Amino acid sequence: MNAFNLITDAVVSHALGAALSVLLLVGAWSKLRDLSLFRANLENYQLLPDGLVAPAAVLLAAWEFTCGLAVLLSPGSALTVLATAALLLLVTGAVVINLLRGRTNIDCGCAGLSGHSGEQQLSWALVVRNTLLLLALFIAAAGHAQRTLVWVDYLSVAGATLALLGLYVAAGQLLVNHPRLQAIKRS
Amino acid sequence: MSDALLISNAVLWVIVLALVVVVFALTRQIGILYERVAPMGALMLDQGPKVGDASPAFELATLQGPMVAVGQTTTGRSQLLFFLSPTCPVCKKLLPILKSISQTESRWLELVFASDGDRPEHVEFQRKAGLTDFPYVLSQDLGMAFKVGRLPYAVLIGEDGKVRGKGLVNSREQIESLFEAKELGVASVQQYLDQSA
């Protein structure tokens, strides 16, 4: 078993795919539930003309939801990879533009498992996070059944999915903590 | 042998997941700790003028020009001070709610928006958000006087010039609970929520 086979083993790809799917679905769900807040978040990025913010908010949240479903149901399809990668690149681009503008004090508006509104600010860590999500997407797509799966594999998938989600939430909390720590250091 | 591996695998997963939960709980607690220690980051419930104390009085120029009395009103109405910023999404979300409240409660309540920082940015924000009918003041001293840490923050000042309720507000319910706080005489939104919980 070489390194590529190990990484694209069904257990690894299934776990990454399932975790990514849950992230997207929960993120989309919390945006759709509070669209007026997401609109305000989007407006904050100062990338769209005023008239386009409201439709773009609905579109982005619906897009995210569709990607979540697609990654869950058919992670291997080219369309899934294309649509999800495009979404990730688009939002990462929006973050990078605002980081380059020096606007690090605005809320990321990530919602879902990334914590409550107003907690997570823009930072390069978000760019790293999204790059990792992109990597997870590709691994989930590249996975293939090269051996017969036995029941213990499903235990591994379930355990790894939950662990990945837990780590994501914990890492998100560290991102929330960071500006607070900086504030203490400055004082 | 394979049974032993299976069992050890299952046990390890249980432990890994438990550890992840513990790690998350720890990061969360560290976050709360940072927030409490940080100079301006805390909820600051116990700082600034206490509920029942007389509010500090300010005479401030609004963005439109006229002066407005903040804290000790002369109009005989209560005053809801709403601290906001153009980059605060939750504040924007609450604006339509505040506007409707100011209409229905105009008999006894006047609404004042407060912030600090760059004047042109706020003028533009006030125009875009449709707040030109309301007094909108820029004053760092005002925020300092009420020890405003996080936004959106609201302070309800009674017609007698005493602070009647204050706190971080994230929803219509929390704004309305300030009015409840005024009627019930409890110290803060958070205390009100604790009591009703």
Side-chain angles (χ1 to χ4, degrees):
Chain A
M1 195 179 248
N2 63 31
F4 182 77
N5 279 340
L6 187 69
I7 265 182
T8 58
D9 185 87
V11 169
V12 179
S13 62
H14 279 5
L16 287 171
L20 182 61
S21 162
V22 171
L23 288 186
L24 292 169
L25 287 174
V26 175
W29 175 243
S30 60
K31 288 180 186 95
L32 288 168
R33 248 185 40 195
D34 202 343
L35 261 178
S36 60
L37 181 63
F38 183 49
R39 261 202 304 275
N41 272 313
L42 201 57
E43 202 182 327
N44 236 355
Y45 276 79
Q46 294 183 0
L47 291 168
L48 292 167
D50 291 347
L52 284 182
V53 170
V58 179
L59 182 78
L60 274 176
W63 186 359
E64 188 177 6
F65 193 80
T66 315
C67 289
L69 277 184
V71 171
L72 187 69
L73 300 176
S74 107
S77 99
L79 195 63
T80 302
V81 178
L82 212 64
T84 313
L87 176 67
L88 282 170
L89 288 174
L90 185 74
V91 295
T92 311
V95 171
V96 168
I97 290 173
N98 274 287
L99 285 174
L100 294 178
R101 284 173 177 170
R103 303 181 73 230
T104 52
N105 60 339
I106 67 171
D107 184 34
C108 91
C110 306
L113 296 179
S114 302
H116 297 293
S117 174
E119 287 194 328
Q120 212 170 62
Q121 297 180 346
L122 294 191
S123 66
W124 286 106
L126 286 179
V127 179
V128 174
R129 184 199 73 181
N130 287 1
T131 312
L132 290 176
L133 292 182
L134 209 55
L135 204 65
L137 172 72
F138 293 141
I139 295 174
H144 49 95
Q146 48 205 325
R147 59 190 176 81
T148 328
L149 292 185
V150 294
W151 71 266
V152 73
D153 287 322
Y154 293 100
L155 176 73
S156 307
V157 171
T161 304
L162 287 174
L164 283 169
L165 288 172
L167 286 175
Y168 180 87
V169 176
Q173 180 65 43
L174 286 179
L175 290 186
V176 171
N177 293 354
H178 187 69
R180 297 178 186 166
L181 176 62
Q182 296 303 104
I184 298 173
K185 279 186 181 160
R186 270 196 305 271
S187 65
Chain B
M1 177 61 193
S2 86
D3 273 357
L5 280 179
L6 278 179
I7 288 170
S8 96
N9 193 286
V11 169
L12 284 175
W13 272 124
V14 171
I15 293 172
V16 164
L17 292 178
L19 282 175
V20 169
V21 171
V22 170
V23 167
F24 171 68
L26 282 175
T27 54
R28 182 104 199 130
Q29 285 176 12
I30 291 170
I32 293 168
L33 207 62
Y34 286 167
E35 201 174 39
R36 288 286 150 84
V37 177
M40 290 298 286
L43 287 174
M44 306 238 179
L45 285 178
D46 304 327
Q47 296 183 41
K50 286 198 174 59
V51 171
D53 286 1
S55 159
F58 287 85
E59 184 79 19
L60 298 165
T62 61
L63 286 183
Q64 296 92 325
M67 302 296 280
V68 61
V70 176
Q72 305 290 332
T73 52
T74 48
T75 56
R77 291 190 294 174
S78 297
Q79 207 170 40
L80 182 66
L81 262 180
F82 187 74
F83 290 90
L84 78 176
S85 115
T87 56
C88 154
V90 184
C91 306
K92 281 187 200 162
K93 181 187 122 178
L94 292 179
L95 291 181
I97 298 168
L98 284 165
K99 284 185 211 166
S100 87
I101 286 178
S102 91
Q103 264 178 6
T104 54
E105 313 289 330
S106 63
R107 205 169 32 79
W108 65 276
L109 185 73
E110 61 180 26
L111 187 56
V112 177
F113 292 96
S115 191
D116 63 1
D118 188 33
R119 190 185 157 90
E121 189 191 346
H122 285 278
V123 171
E124 168 71 9
F125 172 66
Q126 188 193 27
R127 191 185 57 76
K128 263 170 80 172
L131 299 178
T132 40
D133 293 339
F134 299 95
Y136 189 126
V137 296
L138 293 184
S139 163
Q140 205 169 12
D141 294 340
L142 187 63
M144 301 279 269
F146 286 102
K147 298 274 189 267
V148 176
R150 280 168 60 181
L151 299 174
Y153 194 89
V155 181
L156 181 65
I157 300 158
E159 60 282 351
D160 53 0
K162 291 198 169 111
V163 177
R164 288 302 174 194
K166 56 174 185 163
L168 193 64
V169 286
N170 286 315
S171 63
R172 173 190 280 273
E173 289 71 32
Q174 289 183 343
I175 297 173
E176 281 169 352
S177 73
L178 280 176
F179 304 150
E180 299 276 339
K182 178 174 183 279
E183 277 166 30
L184 298 171
V186 291
S188 70
V189 186
Q190 277 75 13
Q191 188 192 327
Y192 171 75
L193 292 176
D194 286 348
Q195 280 183 2
S196 56

